Amino acid sequence: MKYLLDLIGNEIQAAFAACGYDTTYAKATISNRPDLCEFQCNGAMPLAKSAHKAPIMIAEEIAQRLKESVLFETVEAVKPGFLNLRLNKEALSEYLSNIAKDEKLGVNAPEKVKKIMIDYGGPNVAKPLHVGHLRSAIIGESVKRLGRYVGHEMIGDVHLGDWGLQMGLIITELKERKPDLVYFDENYEGEYPSEAPFTISELEEIYPTASAKSKEDEKYKEAAMQATYELQHGRRGYQAVLAHILDVSVTDLKKNYENLKVSFDLWKGESDAQPYIADMAKKMQEDGYAYSSEGALVVDVKEETDAKEIPPCMILKSDGASLYTTTDLATLVWRQQDYQPDQVIYVVDKRQELHFVQVFRCAKKTKIVPEDMELTFLGFGTMNGKDGKPFKTREGGVMRLENLVADTNKEMYRKIVEGGKVPQEEADQTSKTVALAAIKYGDLSNQASKDYVFDVDRFTSFEGNTGPYILYTMVRIKSIMKKYQEQGGKVECGNIMPAKTEAQKSLMLILARWNEVVENAFADLAPHKICAYIYEVANALNHFYHETSIMGEEDETKKAGYIRLLNLTLKVLEDGIEILGFEAPERM
């Protein structure tokens, strides 16, 4: 379905052409002065010089043509050369009626369905999720949902940190505590136990203990490095321990991500890239891309246009060990081999940008991926506390993500119980639903690349640009529609009628932009644009609600039209929050 703004633009182009003017200047924009007009075209002013006419003369000439169009209610030429337009109410209601009949509300299927892999989450196994993992998880989840909504094949990969020294540290500490475990017997050739020799709580305690020891005890660190080397070179017992670490960690991670309504199609990790590293490095050397530098294997990735120095991309360290660049490149090898994606999007901390510049350039230069594969870096800023510094606990430590969620649930529960509109037996679940909206909307309403302050008091408010405010608006619509149904009405039977008030028309004009907003938000990988839009919808709906006697309307046809408009508004808001990754309760 064409965007409303494009339909208006087509009419303006036709008028420019009919008057003999260059249609390049025939562009429609939403007016920034809604008190004067709804749309405008300023093309007469830049056109004046080449047309050898005063801008107002050109605008008046075009206005006369546009007045013949059934799309406009009023067309006015205003000095020095503005074209001010108001949309015909019948044309607007017809456009919205067509949108309401479409499952995606006018969002067009892409010309080419792309297979897009999205790398987000990135937790380390054997460690609890902390607040630093929040942004990658919920931004990535929203981008994935947004891509699916517009019609692309989206594949989400958690990309676990499950390799390197941290694994060697865990193995070393486990060996010290339980040296008789069969995993440490080099001569053992049988099957290893199916049950892990530790719980998730024990595992989460083992790693920091081992890490602390390695910083104080050089022999302990050397043992951990040796364990890492043996793990990476195929020692059976250590690989069995790794399998247990992954099983226990992933089970816990899935539970925590599920509480955030975040899910992944693939649970691959750095360890999955290891089988590809040797052949990849060998081919890079054989093809003349990789060379030895002080014992390390590197690939030059600098370009003549670089404003600052871009260091070579290191493939292997001098001792033959791999790095993050190595595993990221090898991950691209298996992604290309198994999936042949059109695009790979990385949702990671913006401070890793240089790393991904090196990885992307190296991947293209060494032909690991096809030249036309898009590699996209979506860097996010820091979640800060009210002091403007990275979010910490009161004791100054890194806060576990589940504790942040629990604290927000607690504050939301208090506000909902004090409100007194939700039965006690529903309050707990309702508070969790609204708290998740508060957290996700509070984060996603900010442009991903920007730092922001996590403010529980503000995020859980029922007023202002917050998740609870959006949900409260939806609950209000549900309440009205329920009353209408209880009186025998059917919410989808009426037609969307031409607007009778400015508040109604304003709401309708905003709803008509849904398809354009969604498609642009995905093109820019910008969930914050969905937040800004649904906040605008909620404000317009509440303004319309306060100015209009909906259930008190005596004309049943008009009342049915109002309800149909409310139903469309609810559908837009429901689709919006589904993209953002949360849902609305029945009451608040």
Side-chain angles (χ1 to χ4, degrees), residues 66-292:
L66 287 175
K67 286 176 182 178
E68 299 172 8
S69 170
V70 296
L71 202 55
F72 303 110
E73 186 174 273
T74 62
V75 180
E76 187 180 12
V78 179
K79 288 184 177 181
F82 298 109
L83 276 167
N84 290 351
L85 312 165
R86 284 191 180 275
L87 206 62
N88 179 282
K89 294 183 180 68
E90 284 75 17
L92 177 58
S93 63
E94 182 181 350
Y95 185 80
L96 277 185
S97 294
N98 289 332
I99 279 181
K101 294 171 188 172
D102 184 64
E103 184 184 354
K104 293 287 183 67
L105 305 177
V107 172
N108 299 301
E111 289 184 9
K112 179 199 172 189
V113 175
K114 296 201 298 187
K115 182 185 290 183
I116 301 172
M117 299 191 80
I118 179 161
D119 183 317
Y120 67 109
N124 290 314
V125 299
K127 296 182 186 178
L129 292 175
H130 57 75
V131 293
H133 293 112
L134 179 70
R135 300 214 72 192
S136 179
I138 63 178
I139 294 169
E141 180 70 16
S142 183
V143 170
K144 181 187 73 179
R145 290 171 178 236
L146 185 53
R148 284 179 180 165
Y149 191 90
V150 301
H152 294 295
E153 180 185 353
M154 306 295 291
I155 303 168
D157 182 10
V158 71
H159 196 69
L160 297 166
D162 62 354
W163 206 244
L165 182 58
Q166 65 179 18
M167 297 298 108
L169 286 166
I170 294 169
I171 290 168
T172 302
E173 181 62 20
L174 187 64
K175 187 175 182 179
E176 280 205 357
R177 295 183 184 192
K178 301 178 181 182
D180 295 331
L181 287 175
V182 69
Y183 309 97
F184 306 119
D185 181 355
E186 291 188 59
N187 298 316
Y188 182 76
E189 296 180 355
E191 292 292 320
Y192 290 104
S194 59
E195 187 173 339
F198 40 69
T199 64
I200 185 63
S201 298
E202 290 170 334
L203 190 57
E204 288 177 355
E205 182 271 328
I206 287 172
Y207 175 72
T209 299
S211 181
K213 282 185 180 181
S214 71
K215 292 171 184 174
E216 298 173 356
D217 186 337
E218 191 61 33
K219 285 187 177 180
Y220 187 95
K221 184 176 180 180
E222 287 177 8
M225 292 174 70
Q226 180 62 27
T228 304
Y229 178 86
E230 291 181 25
L231 167 68
Q232 295 182 353
H233 286 77
R235 181 164 168 174
R236 285 182 68 242
Y238 289 1
Q239 292 195 333
V241 173
L242 175 62
H244 286 313
I245 293 170
L246 290 174
D247 183 51
V248 171
S249 293
V250 167
T251 299
D252 187 65
L253 285 169
K254 284 183 177 179
K255 179 188 72 177
N256 281 283
Y257 278 126
E258 189 177 317
N259 289 337
L260 285 173
K261 291 200 178 298
V262 170
S263 64
F264 300 93
D265 304 289
L266 302 176
W267 284 83
K268 298 282 191 176
E270 292 175 287
S271 61
D272 291 289
Q274 298 309 305
Y276 300 88
I277 289 176
D279 287 346
M280 177 186 78
K282 181 181 178 183
K283 190 171 190 309
M284 285 180 177
Q285 286 178 290
E286 289 175 348
D287 291 348
Y289 298 116
Y291 63 93
S292 179

Side-chain angles (χ1 to χ4, degrees), residues 244-503:
H244 286 313
I245 293 170
L246 290 174
D247 183 51
V248 171
S249 293
V250 167
T251 299
D252 187 65
L253 285 169
K254 284 183 177 179
K255 179 188 72 177
N256 281 283
Y257 278 126
E258 189 177 317
N259 289 337
L260 285 173
K261 291 200 178 298
V262 170
S263 64
F264 300 93
D265 304 289
L266 302 176
W267 284 83
K268 298 282 191 176
E270 292 175 287
S271 61
D272 291 289
Q274 298 309 305
Y276 300 88
I277 289 176
D279 287 346
M280 177 186 78
K282 181 181 178 183
K283 190 171 190 309
M284 285 180 177
Q285 286 178 290
E286 289 175 348
D287 291 348
Y289 298 116
Y291 63 93
S292 179
S293 174
E294 298 181 15
L297 188 67
V298 301
V299 174
D300 285 328
V301 292
K302 63 182 179 181
E303 296 177 357
E304 290 183 6
T305 54
D306 289 335
K308 58 183 179 182
E309 185 68 22
I310 304 294
C313 183
M314 190 180 294
I315 308 303
L316 295 173
K317 293 198 291 186
S318 57
D319 62 0
S322 59
L323 307 93
Y324 284 126
T325 48
T326 322
T327 52
D328 279 336
L329 286 163
T331 296
L332 278 171
V333 171
W334 75 250
R335 283 174 176 165
Q336 171 60 21
Q337 179 177 298
D338 291 358
Y339 289 92
Q340 299 87 47
D342 299 293
Q343 183 178 12
V344 183
I345 301 169
Y346 294 81
V347 184
V348 289
D349 190 310
K350 66 181 180 182
R351 290 170 290 189
Q352 294 188 45
E353 184 169 12
L354 175 59
H355 165 78
F356 281 98
V357 167
Q358 293 175 299
V359 168
F360 292 174
R361 288 185 181 182
C362 185
K364 290 291 180 75
K365 182 176 183 177
T366 61
K367 299 179 173 57
I368 282 174
V369 298
E371 187 58 40
D372 60 353
M373 183 194 288
E374 293 179 69
L375 298 174
T376 307
F377 175 78
L378 178 53
F380 55 80
T382 308
M383 186 181 101
N384 296 325
K386 290 183 181 180
D387 59 359
K389 298 176 182 178
F391 200 93
K392 301 282 186 182
T393 62
R394 290 177 183 173
E395 294 74 31
V398 178
M399 179 178 276
R400 290 177 70 133
L401 188 50
E402 62 184 319
N403 292 342
L404 177 78
V405 173
D407 288 349
T408 310
N409 286 347
K410 185 177 179 181
E411 177 62 15
M412 204 71 253
Y413 180 82
R414 184 186 67 79
K415 291 184 176 182
I416 284 174
V417 169
E418 285 180 359
K421 294 182 179 179
V422 177
Q424 188 65 40
E425 63 271 17
E426 294 179 22
D428 184 57
Q429 184 54 52
T430 299
S431 65
K432 288 177 181 176
T433 300
V434 183
L436 184 60
I439 292 169
K440 285 195 163 187
Y441 189 92
D443 187 299
L444 293 170
S445 58
N446 299 278
Q447 187 173 340
S449 61
K450 305 291 186 184
D451 298 346
Y452 79 97
V453 173
F454 189 92
D455 185 340
V456 173
D457 293 333
R458 182 169 67 83
F459 288 179
T460 57
S461 173
F462 289 95
E463 298 177 354
N465 189 11
T466 69
Y469 172 71
I470 302 298
L471 298 192
Y472 185 78
T473 301
M474 297 173 69
V475 168
R476 168 172 277 167
I477 297 172
K478 289 180 180 183
S479 176
I480 297 169
M481 290 169 59
K482 185 179 179 183
K483 288 178 183 175
Y484 184 70
Q485 288 174 312
E486 286 171 350
Q487 294 177 7
K490 295 184 179 180
V491 297
E492 295 187 0
C493 284
N495 292 315
I496 295 176
M497 307 295 287
K500 300 298 181 186
T501 66
E502 285 302 312

